[in-house]
Amino acid sequence: MLLSVVIPVLNEAETIPLMLERLRGALRGRTWEVLFVDDGSTDATPDILEQAAFADQRVKLLRFTRNFGHQAAVTAGLDFANGDAVVVMDADLQDPPELLPRMLALFEEGYDVVSPQRVSREAETMFKRWTSALFYRTLSRIADRPITPDVGDFRLFSRRAVIAIRSLREQHRYMRGMVAWLGMKEAILPFERRARAAGKTNYPLLRMLRFGWTAISSFSAFPLRISIAAGCILSGAGFLYLLRVVYMALWTTTLVPGWASVVALQCAFSGMILLALGGIGDYLARTYEEAKQRPLYVVTEVCNIATPQRSLPRAVILANQVTPAPISIDEFERPRRIAEEIPSYEPLARARG
Ligand code: UDP
Ligand code: MG
């Protein structure tokens, strides 16, 4: 049985050697491949990955022309993975490789999706934990299908599940929603999510908010419909108020002071209208982007990967095979050596001439 590990990477030069070492340790005695998808890194990441791939055939590499985003990188990884089971995980060791054997055991029991669920979130700020809890709660209320809470993109998929996911080629991608949508047999495995091994998150607040909105708008039309409900309630209230005004004008001598209520209503209604228009505009923009049917990613180089025979919809593969530079393989055979040498990076650059 072949296990593929898909790892999207953006500027993770410091963590990759550690990651590989722990992966090798965790998967000793098994047949595996690891597929790094370099999502337009600008640091030493591409060279480190290349060296690792030259030293070990099981390390495979896809390189994007630019940063297409984490979800596109995961998509490419799933497109090229050959395994009977495929695991997607972060490069930063927040998802522990030591959990893989337990995930594989569940896969062997017949589950199509194994989802490690974060029970503790070490080193995450209170703010992140609270907003994330609130987000999952809201999403599970309004999404078309219930999305498993506290499960990130760290997951194991059976080959069947991967084939099914590959067929979903939408532009605004939210993998967790797609898994829920597929509804395949899922096992949940609690685990403790660690702090990053090194470096800093690629998901700052604004990006996180955008990602959250992608999740909602891709898997729920609730925000579009909410304006209908709000519109009904407000126009109902407005109509009742109108009755009162007519009554006062005909049967009382009270002067309608008017000004304050008109201004207040004006503000409330214009606000609501703008909000609803904004929401509709966003869905429209997404429909427009979807209608263009643009590719999801462009691969410029590959290493240790045969270009797939099947055609991949919505993907551009300009795959140049990167061939090993004339370096002594012995130098890199032992994983520990890679871990020791690569952070310094200098000797490698020299070795490659
Ligand atoms: N990543 C990526 N492209 C991006 C952003 C992130 O490939 O545009 C990778 C990143 O290198 C990491 C994973 O996706 O392996 C998750 O990102 P990160 O750890 O920064 O997110 P967090 O865990 O903080 O939510
Ligand atoms: Mg991370």
Side-chain angles (χ1 to χ4, degrees), residues 110-155:
Y111 289 98
D112 281 306
V113 179
V114 181
S115 307
Q117 190 173 42
R118 305 162 186 179
V119 286
S120 91
R121 299 161 148 239
E122 185 195 301
E124 267 179 18
T125 58
M126 204 68 129
F127 176 75
K128 172 124 193 206
R129 267 180 271 170
W130 281 1
T131 45
S132 144
L134 180 71
F135 171 73
Y136 277 119
R137 215 137 284 155
T138 316
L139 189 61
S140 63
R141 285 263 158 90
I142 64 176
D144 303 339
R145 297 260 321 135
I147 292 174
T148 325
D150 291 319
V151 176
D153 287 312
F154 179 30
R155 269 192 155 124

Side-chain angles (χ1 to χ4, degrees), residues 90 92 94 193 196:
D90 277 14
D92 54 16
Q94 281 190 288
R193 193 164 203 243
R196 256 181 171 276

Side-chain angles (χ1 to χ4, degrees), residues 54-119:
F54 294 160
D56 186 343
Q57 290 277 317
R58 295 174 298 184
V59 177
K60 312 194 166 193
L61 173 58
L62 285 173
R63 182 172 309 145
F64 285 177
T65 45
R66 63 167 172 86
N67 180 249
F68 280 88
H70 172 223
Q71 298 286 304
V74 171
T75 307
L78 292 178
D79 284 346
F80 284 82
N82 296 312
D84 302 295
V86 182
V87 169
V88 176
M89 63 199 300
D90 277 14
D92 54 16
L93 290 166
Q94 281 190 288
D95 310 327
E98 291 71 27
L99 206 64
L100 293 177
R102 284 172 64 200
M103 292 167 77
L104 280 167
L106 284 166
F107 161 71
E108 275 153 11
E109 274 177 35
Y111 289 98
D112 281 306
V113 179
V114 181
S115 307
Q117 190 173 42
R118 305 162 186 179
V119 286

